[in-house]
Amino acid sequence: MNCLQNLLKEPPIVGSRSMRRPSPLNLAMVRGGSRRSNTVKTASGASTSSTDSGAVEAGTEKSDSYSTNMTQAMGAVLTYRHELGMNYNFIRPDLIVGSCLQSPLDVDKLRKIGVKTVFCLQQDPDLEYFGVDICAIQDYCLQCMDIEHFRAEIRDFDAFDLRLRLPAVVSKLHKLVNHNGGVTYIHCTAGLGRAPAVALAYMFWILGYSLNEGHQLLQSKRACFPKLEAIKLATADILTGLSKNSITLKWEGDNCSSVEISGLDIGWGQIIPLTYNKEKRAWLLERELPEGRYEYKYIVDGKWVCNEREKKTKPNADGHVNNYIQVSRDGSSVEERELRERLTGQNPDLTKEERLMIREYLEQYIER
């Protein structure tokens, strides 16, 4: 049975920059795509803070839950041990990807290796989950005066939010690197999803790497799982524009009391209700989505099911299947379609002119 017992019961506020962290979910039962083993314990540069046994035990439990959620949501076996302290890897001499800072003591550790910019991608719920006092860290950075702390939030385990946020986030990163120089430390919570994705997009858009070349370099330095599809789509969005198209999903029948959807553009950790239409005797959801492929699943009276009338994925490694929808833009030219196909293909690269266009776009970007 496909059932997430601890799923959030309130419909999310879509588009909000904040969200509550869901309880541990059994996302493997609904998530498409096979998993690959990519376990990360403690990378080079690890630092461990002294804590009492009770705190260590509590931290271990939180780490176990977080690692489970991360593995199931990301489609790869990923492990994060918060109780072992900050861990990181140099990707380039001037670029580090790692896990979150846990106290002002970690600021001093980064200063010693030349870090001038700490670029934090965490949201408040991420910090609260592990009890990180971000204000103490920021205040200490201000006192030091030789290192800057900056936040650019992206939702955890959410490839759609990553896609939409990448231009704004990389724009901020690019400007900070140009201003501060030195070594830049990019981190999310574990340093395995959001942080490597932002680093890779920066390498692709600004530093001149092809996407695959940058990915290979990143993987050679740190075992991680950046969402390549989100980076590809964000790249195409910048060069061809981010247009949306209206879609309607329908669950037929009036023999149930509630119908909801998870996945789609809100992620597997949230749900959105469908509205019952008496005339059509069906549950409907109308939504505007950017071009792309979206997987989702219905929750009918609490039971996770596929709609047999809509397209379905092939079974993943665990034998589970999702519905999916492919959203295309209306009125695009042949040139735009060919460009998006190239940028979202197997080995995307940018011409000099395209990279210059992206650089200018990011330098002029002002987030609303």
Side-chain angles (χ1 to χ4, degrees):
M1 178 182 295
N2 293 329
C3 178
L4 302 189
Q5 297 178 350
N6 297 315
L7 190 68
L8 297 177
K9 293 303 180 184
E10 304 85 2
I13 301 174
V14 179
S16 171
R17 295 253 51 86
S18 63
M19 63 172 285
R20 293 188 303 166
R21 176 175 298 285
S23 302
L25 308 179
N26 191 3
L27 293 169
M29 304 185 77
V30 297
R31 192 71 175 91
S34 60
R35 297 190 213 148
R36 63 180 179 125
S37 178
N38 203 0
T39 303
V40 174
K41 293 184 179 178
T42 304
S44 62
S47 62
T48 306
S49 303
S50 60
T51 54
D52 58 44
S53 58
V56 170
E57 183 177 351
T60 300
E61 292 177 358
K62 284 181 173 288
S63 293
D64 289 341
S65 295
Y66 186 85
S67 296
T68 298
N69 287 348
M70 182 166 51
T71 291
Q72 294 167 345
M74 299 293 284
V77 180
L78 300 168
T79 302
Y80 171 56
R81 308 309 320 177
H82 185 81
E83 67 278 8
L84 297 182
M86 179 178 65
N87 70 82
Y88 57 82
N89 295 92
F90 276 86
I91 309 305
R92 291 165 38 98
D94 59 351
L95 183 63
I96 302 174
V97 171
S99 65
C100 64
L101 282 68
Q102 300 184 21
S103 76
L105 293 175
D106 287 330
V107 175
D108 283 332
K109 293 164 186 170
L110 296 180
R111 292 171 66 207
K112 289 179 180 178
I113 57 174
V115 172
K116 297 298 182 182
T117 303
V118 177
F119 199 67
C120 171
L121 304 173
Q122 293 176 288
Q123 293 188 313
D124 288 345
D126 306 331
L127 300 163
E128 293 164 3
Y129 182 78
F130 282 111
V132 175
D133 186 350
I134 190 69
C135 292
I137 293 171
Q138 291 173 321
D139 289 344
Y140 188 67
C141 286
L142 287 173
Q143 293 175 27
C144 294
M145 300 182 65
D146 61 354
I147 185 169
E148 183 174 1
H149 187 284
F150 194 90
R151 292 182 69 187
E153 300 176 32
I154 300 175
R155 275 204 302 261
D156 209 356
F157 313 143
D158 192 332
F160 183 77
D161 193 57
L162 176 65
R163 168 190 177 180
L164 295 188
R165 292 284 296 147
L166 269 177
V169 171
V170 175
S171 171
K172 292 176 181 177
L173 175 64
H174 175 47
K175 293 169 185 175
L176 284 168
V177 171
N178 283 345
H179 180 266
N180 293 341
V183 180
T184 300
Y185 185 84
I186 305 176
H187 77 85
C188 47
T189 297
L192 303 178
R194 291 170 288 179
V198 169
L200 180 54
Y202 173 70
M203 294 163 66
F204 183 35
W205 294 345
I206 299 297
L207 299 183
Y209 293 83
S210 71
L211 188 62
N212 288 359
E213 179 188 11
H215 186 235
Q216 290 172 5
L217 174 60
L218 186 65
Q219 291 284 345
S220 71
K221 304 295 184 178
R222 183 175 181 84
C224 56
F225 199 71
K227 288 289 188 179
L228 296 181
E229 191 65 22
I231 301 173
K232 294 177 182 180
L233 289 169
T235 306
D237 292 340
I238 292 174
L239 292 175
T240 66
L242 179 64
S243 66
K244 295 185 177 182
N245 213 343
S246 297
I247 61 105
T248 300
L249 298 179
K250 178 193 294 185
W251 181 270
E252 296 184 355
D254 54 7
N255 58 344
C256 54
S257 59
S258 70
V259 179
E260 300 160 317
I261 274 182
S262 186
L264 210 61
D265 62 324
I266 60 172
W268 294 106
Q270 299 191 71
I271 56 176
I272 188 168
L274 279 69
T275 302
Y276 183 67
N277 185 300
K278 292 183 179 179
E279 294 181 0
K280 297 182 179 181
R281 300 181 65 183
W283 299 79
L284 303 176
L285 175 65
E286 295 183 358
R287 204 155 185 82
E288 285 195 342
L289 299 175
E291 183 173 5
R293 185 178 187 270
Y294 301 85
E295 294 187 20
Y296 58 94
K297 208 155 193 174
Y298 288 88
I299 310 168
V300 181
D301 287 340
K303 183 179 180 180
W304 290 73
V305 294
C306 282
N307 190 332
E308 298 299 327
R309 299 174 181 269
E310 295 170 0
K311 294 180 180 179
K312 295 191 296 183
T313 64
K314 295 180 180 179
N316 64 14
D318 297 320
H320 298 291
V321 174
N322 299 326
N323 285 123
Y324 77 93
I325 186 169
Q326 183 72 44
V327 180
S328 301
R329 66 172 59 195
D330 293 329
S332 58
S333 65
V334 174
E335 291 78 9
E336 286 179 332
R337 289 196 297 270
E338 290 178 347
L339 177 58
R340 292 192 74 93
E341 288 177 4
R342 172 167 64 84
L343 294 176
T344 57
Q346 292 298 314
N347 188 22
D349 198 3
L350 297 167
T351 65
K352 291 182 179 179
E353 292 76 14
E354 289 166 350
R355 187 166 277 112
L356 179 60
M357 289 174 61
I358 290 178
R359 179 188 289 266
E360 291 177 348
Y361 174 85
L362 296 176
E363 290 175 348
Q364 298 171 9
Y365 191 98
I366 300 176
E367 188 171 12
R368 297 175 182 176

